[in-house]
Amino acid sequence: MRGRMLLRAAVIFGALLLAPTGVAAAFSPGSAGLGDPMFPLAGNGGYDVGNYSLTLDYTPAGNQLTGDVVITARATQNLSRFDLDLRGFSITELLVNGEAAAYTRDGQDPSKNQELIVTPAVGLVQGKTFTVTVGYTGTPSVVTDPDDSIEGWVPTDDGAFVVNEPQGSPAWYPVNDNPRDKATYDFRVSVPAGLTVMANGVLVSTTTSGGKTTWVWREGDPMAPYLATTTLGKFDLTISKTSAGIPTYVAIDPQLAKGQVLSKLPEAVDLYTSLYGPYPFDAVGAIVDSAKVVGYSLETQTKPNFPYVPNEATLVHELAHMWYGDSVTLTEWPDIWLHEGFATWSEWIWSERQGNKSAHQWFEQLYNTPASDTRFWGPAVADFTDPALLFNGTVYYRGGMTLQALREKIGDLAFFQLLKGWAQQNRFGNVTTAQFIAFAEKISGQDLTQFFKVWIFQAEKPAPGSW
């Protein structure tokens, strides 16, 4: 008790030193969440992260991860304390600006509760940059979502398949886990020699010593936390460049038959560049791992993760996310159609430009499904708050149909101007449905109130002629 009283006194005294006389009370805790309608406790208030520097050491035998993470952030209010998101692990060190900080965990079982509550020795002044150093060790988590899918650090036969959408990041590193807080990333990951680590961005170096290989990657463009990856295992890694000189990294589990589909990657990047504008990032690629228990692919920034060799539609879907989802990212999860609808329509335009089924034919096929089929017709954006439905088929199919219906309403000239402008105007930013509607009306010169009412804001299938 005496130590706790002394620490409290130190925090108050520090706040007095930093604040003008009489306003020490202006230092207050950052919020424990950012109020997302689906995941209200995801992310934390009071600061904005600029960079994560992750030094990780992983031993597949025993599934043990040791981390030392330095977070560089800027206070957006006068902070007396703040939260990070982290599930499980034993904390071995916690520093703020190089000084020991107090911390608590939210609840008796930290593997289920993700708030790491940090009280620095001295209050943090609004507008000032600060660093947080977190040392930790333990077994990384596999997170089960409300729809029963899994994510986080998923062990494989020879390593780990690391994917995070929407809440897996705190399973393996301390983070402000909200898509709004994008940051740059540095990865330094050590694994047993013979294993490959695939992380976001550009490969900086690899060094082997004492039976371990350290892989250093750098993601220099802003990235939402759920898009980070350090998938690792035995891979055949091919490094090349696109026709535009973008470094390309394709890693394939040698257990899997390679096929020819991944040879389509440069062509897909070229097509989407012509439609949506310059490729947003400084690297591109794919990670194909044998992750039998995952069952889905994910658009991890610069290198989508595939738990099996993808078909052509899946490959181009995930690559389209580099523009819509990774560079241009939702502000809140109910707007996920801005990711998945756009990537689904991108599959259709790929098919159309390959001389196969056109986007209009895809639209007609799906629009002719019965109104009672909840795979295609379901929650409207305005009422979309159940996290169990985050990846409902309507997000993909109705989202894609919305874009094709918009294309046919405003015409190809305005529509393709809209898609390119949306991607370039909001590069590395966060967006909402309301912003997209306003932009579509500006580009088309049309009042699209009724159009979006029936396609986005009503749950029922749009009636013929209603838009």
Side-chain angles (χ1 to χ4, degrees):
M1 178 63 72
R2 179 179 175 85
R4 290 171 62 89
M5 291 176 66
L6 288 172
L7 177 61
R8 178 177 174 82
V11 171
I12 294 172
F13 181 67
L16 287 169
L17 287 177
L18 287 172
T21 303
V23 295
F27 282 79
S28 59
S31 63
L34 291 178
D36 185 274
M38 288 191 177
F39 302 98
L41 290 180
N44 309 283
Y47 62 96
D48 179 70
V49 177
N51 176 262
Y52 293 91
S53 180
L54 289 80
T55 300
L56 307 176
D57 190 304
Y58 182 63
T59 304
N63 190 24
Q64 291 298 297
L65 179 67
T66 298
D68 186 76
V69 174
V70 179
I71 302 169
T72 303
R74 179 181 58 84
T76 57
Q77 68 181 67
N78 287 335
L79 279 172
S80 59
R81 71 168 189 260
F82 60 91
D83 288 20
L84 292 169
D85 299 309
L86 182 66
R87 295 174 179 264
F89 295 107
S90 298
I91 305 298
T92 57
E93 180 181 56
L94 209 159
L95 309 174
V96 176
N97 289 333
E99 299 291 331
Y103 66 88
T104 58
R105 309 299 294 267
D106 66 340
Q108 298 301 310
D109 185 353
S111 68
K112 296 180 180 178
N113 301 295
Q114 68 183 49
E115 299 300 319
L116 173 60
I117 304 163
V118 180
T119 303
V122 179
L124 303 173
V125 177
Q126 181 177 358
K128 298 293 186 181
T129 298
F130 64 96
T131 60
V132 187
T133 303
V134 184
Y136 57 99
T137 188
T139 302
S141 301
V142 175
V143 178
T144 301
D145 286 327
D147 66 355
D148 292 327
S149 62
I150 62 171
E151 65 201 47
W153 192 281
V154 182
T156 60
D157 293 341
D158 54 15
F161 190 80
V162 184
V163 289
N164 310 303
E165 189 179 23
Q167 55 177 349
S169 296
W172 57 282
Y173 72 101
V175 58
N176 191 28
D177 190 28
N178 189 282
R180 283 185 264 167
D181 196 357
K182 295 187 175 185
T184 59
Y185 281 70
D186 293 283
F187 303 89
R188 185 180 183 86
V189 187
S190 298
V191 292
L195 300 186
T196 298
V197 178
M198 297 295 294
N200 312 88
V202 174
L203 181 61
V204 177
S205 66
T206 61
T207 55
T208 299
S209 177
K212 289 221 164 185
T213 300
T214 299
W215 295 75
V216 179
W217 295 85
R218 165 73 174 162
E219 176 50 279
D221 294 315
M223 180 166 68
Y226 78 90
L227 295 168
T229 190
T230 51
T231 291
L232 59 99
K234 294 180 180 178
F235 289 106
D236 294 327
L237 174 59
T238 301
I239 302 175
S240 59
K241 290 187 177 182
T242 69
S243 59
I246 302 167
T248 303
Y249 306 88
V250 176
I252 304 177
D253 190 324
Q255 298 180 67
L256 301 172
K258 295 177 176 60
Q260 297 298 314
V261 67
L262 290 166
S263 66
K264 295 284 188 179
L265 188 152
E267 185 181 352
V269 171
D270 287 346
L271 173 63
Y272 295 143
T273 296
S274 71
L275 296 177
Y276 308 146
Y279 179 75
F281 305 116
D282 55 5
V284 69
I287 306 166
V288 184
D289 197 6
S290 180
K292 307 175 185 66
V293 297
V294 177
Y296 62 85
S297 302
L298 187 68
E299 62 274 16
T300 43
Q301 188 160 304
T302 71
K303 300 175 191 68
N305 270 263
F306 302 94
Y308 42 74
V309 177
N311 60 25
E312 199 169 293
T314 302
L315 175 67
V316 301
H317 178 108
E318 302 305 335
L319 289 172
H321 274 309
M322 298 304 105
W323 285 264
Y324 303 119
D326 293 14
S327 175
V328 182
T329 309
L330 52 75
T331 300
E332 293 186 337
W333 286 108
D335 276 330
I336 194 169
W337 83 276
L338 293 171
H339 296 190
E340 301 303 347
F342 280 60
T344 299
W345 185 86
S346 295
E347 295 178 41
W348 303 349
I349 195 64
W350 167 265
S351 173
E352 180 176 311
R353 295 298 176 90
Q354 294 288 307
N356 299 318
K357 187 185 294 186
S358 69
H360 175 76
Q361 289 171 320
W362 280 109
F363 174 89
E364 286 293 315
Q365 177 183 325
L366 294 171
Y367 183 73
N368 288 330
T369 57
S372 59
D373 193 331
T374 56
R375 292 175 302 167
F376 306 100
W377 313 109
V381 167
D383 301 314
F384 192 43
T385 58
D386 182 354
L389 299 177
L390 183 61
F391 302 108
N392 185 283
T394 60
V395 170
Y396 297 77
Y397 301 124
R398 185 171 185 150
M401 282 187 277
T402 297
L403 291 177
Q404 181 59 25
L406 181 61
R407 176 189 182 185
E408 296 179 14
K409 183 173 181 64
I410 67 176
D412 272 14
L413 182 63
F415 180 74
F416 287 106
Q417 183 182 353
L418 168 65
L419 291 188
K420 182 173 287 187
W422 181 248
Q424 298 308 306
Q425 177 176 290
N426 297 295
R427 185 181 175 96
F428 305 142
N430 295 87
V431 294
T432 66
T433 293
Q435 289 172 328
F436 180 71
I437 293 171
F439 193 60
E441 291 186 327
K442 177 181 177 182
I443 294 296
S444 68
Q446 297 183 32
D447 181 348
L448 298 172
T449 303
Q450 177 63 17
F451 176 89
F452 284 106
K453 176 183 176 182
V454 300
W455 276 105
I456 295 298
F457 295 112
Q458 75 175 31
E460 297 79 20
K461 177 181 178 178
S466 64
W467 66 91

